[in-house]
Amino acid sequence: MNEKLVSVIVLSWNSRGFLEECLGSVMAQTHRPVELIVVDNASTDGSADFVGERFTTARLVRNEQNLGFCAGNNIGLKLAQGACVLFLNPDAVLQPSYLEKALEAFADPGVGMVAGKVLRFDLRTLDTTGQLMTRSRRVKERGYGEPDKGQYDAPGEVFSVCGAVALYRRSTIEAVCLDGEFFDEDFFAFGEDFDAGWRARRLGWRCAYVPEALAAHFRGGTQTVARKDHGRRAEMAHRPPDIQAHIIKNRYLSMIKNETATSFFMNLPFILGWELVLWSWLIIFSSATVPILWGHRRLIRRALLKRRALLTRAARQAARLVS
């Protein structure tokens, strides 16, 4: 493995309109060397052919069907040779010094994940400066939709990193893989970045925020959701029931796998309060989502088995630190 090599994995699904700028920004990075891997999830808009013709140095994988965000990125990860791996959405664009600045955080051996400052395409509105976990166990993209006034210009620590522009240390990835999967493929898509970050934290890794690492993200560029930004709650309402079911199902799977009993009971009033709001909204406004959620119930047992494996791994890690 090349210790200086960064593998950049771009998962594409009907992203033709974004790919040139996205992939071009990878190739323009001041850090070298960079390995570009593009995984195409059975696009029908000519995305794969465009990459093959325009970015000939990229390693291109053509999936025969849309395997989802998690499985698609896991395929790319198996090909990656870098000591660090950046997962990059096709509707995101890196500033030339993104990797150079972000990699500086890995000078701290306890840092396993890095979040940069990600703006919207207007370069004035914040998209994310890292993920936080609320007491109700919701994922919060810090700064989401706020005007960028420098309020997040200080480096520090966040809970996890948004999967749109997510940099990981290879050893962190290897430590948190379960059943050979970094992103849990039972998730299909949505919340898998938060879940991976939560697993990493359970094993002692931290996530650094580096404001000098700048990128832009369209947010939802390849999804059929309303393009106007009315906030995350309204965005959820515009999604079809199967997508809503994935988002809610993944909330539960992540909690089953990663939550500690002490933390759960300390925050139970907040968790139950959000559950009341969530299920009231589902029953009144999106009842078609409920039977889809019920169809995912078999995944609970698999999440419990993964929890057991993670607890065993965390215990071994704690024992090594004590010794």
Side-chain angles (χ1 to χ4, degrees):
M1 184 182 298
N2 186 331
E3 292 299 321
K4 294 185 178 181
L5 177 66
V6 177
S7 299
V8 180
I9 300 172
V10 178
L11 179 68
S12 174
W13 179 64
N14 293 331
S15 318
R16 172 64 182 84
F18 293 99
L19 283 172
E20 183 158 16
E21 195 171 2
C22 172
L23 302 185
S25 76
V26 174
M27 304 311 295
Q29 289 298 294
T30 54
H31 172 85
R32 284 288 184 267
V34 171
E35 171 189 46
L36 177 58
I37 301 169
V38 180
V39 181
D40 186 81
N41 254 347
S43 295
T44 58
D45 65 347
S47 294
D49 290 340
F50 169 75
V51 173
E53 295 167 4
R54 176 69 174 80
F55 293 89
T56 56
T57 60
R59 185 159 188 179
L60 175 62
V61 179
R62 298 173 185 254
N63 291 333
E64 294 183 357
Q65 58 182 319
N66 183 0
L67 301 177
F69 184 92
C70 299
N73 273 303
N74 285 341
I75 287 172
L77 181 59
K78 291 175 181 177
L79 301 174
Q81 300 296 313
C84 298
V85 179
L86 177 73
F87 295 94
L88 182 66
N89 274 16
D91 59 348
V93 178
L94 305 174
Q95 289 294 305
S97 63
Y98 188 93
L99 287 177
E100 181 181 345
K101 297 296 185 181
L103 288 167
E104 293 175 0
F106 287 143
D108 182 338
V111 170
M113 308 165 278
V114 179
K117 181 194 279 191
V118 183
L119 301 163
R120 300 283 172 79
F121 272 21
D122 63 10
L123 302 183
R124 297 188 302 271
T125 306
L126 292 165
D127 187 70
T128 178
T129 60
Q131 294 182 330
L132 304 177
M133 180 170 68
T134 70
R135 298 192 69 179
S136 61
R137 295 315 186 243
R138 286 180 291 159
V139 184
K140 180 180 180 181
E141 300 291 350
R142 192 177 67 158
Y144 184 92
E146 297 178 18
D148 180 20
K149 298 180 179 179
Q151 65 270 44
Y152 300 109
D153 280 356
E157 183 177 343
V158 289
F159 187 88
S160 185
V161 55
C162 174
V165 190
L167 181 64
Y168 299 91
R169 194 191 295 267
R170 166 74 71 163
S171 51
T172 303
I173 291 173
E174 293 174 349
V176 304
C177 278
L178 292 171
D179 298 331
E181 299 174 3
F182 178 58
F183 291 124
D184 188 337
E185 294 180 15
D186 285 340
F187 280 49
F188 187 79
F190 303 102
E192 69 295 312
D193 47 4
F194 182 74
D195 173 69
W198 199 348
R199 272 183 280 143
R201 294 186 71 86
R202 290 294 309 276
L203 295 177
W205 296 99
R206 291 179 283 110
C207 183
Y209 168 62
V210 180
E212 296 84 8
L214 295 172
H217 183 213
F218 188 82
R219 180 66 63 173
T222 59
Q223 300 165 25
T224 53
V225 297
R227 288 292 180 258
K228 288 185 179 179
D229 182 11
H230 297 299
R232 303 205 75 182
R233 209 170 299 173
E235 184 180 285
M236 173 73 165
H238 284 93
R239 299 185 188 276
D242 59 329
I243 298 299
Q244 292 179 15
H246 278 305
I247 294 171
I248 298 167
K249 172 257 295 179
N250 294 347
R251 163 182 167 82
Y252 298 136
L253 294 182
S254 191
M255 289 175 64
I256 290 169
K257 287 162 54 182
N258 300 300
E259 187 66 87
T260 64
T262 301
S263 181
F264 177 77
F265 286 111
M266 284 180 61
N267 293 287
L268 187 57
F270 300 93
I271 295 170
L272 291 179
W274 178 246
E275 290 300 311
L276 179 61
V277 172
L278 174 62
W279 281 92
S280 297
W281 180 83
L282 278 176
I283 292 169
I284 296 171
F285 297 107
S286 188
S287 58
T289 302
V290 177
I292 302 174
L293 271 173
W294 177 249
H296 290 308
R297 65 190 183 279
R298 61 183 176 80
L299 300 179
I300 294 175
R301 181 176 179 275
R302 295 221 291 260
L304 288 168
L305 292 174
K306 292 171 184 176
R307 174 183 177 82
R308 184 183 305 171
L310 183 63
L311 287 173
T312 300
R313 200 172 297 177
R316 289 173 180 168
Q317 174 74 4
R320 282 196 296 267
L321 291 175
V322 170
S323 62

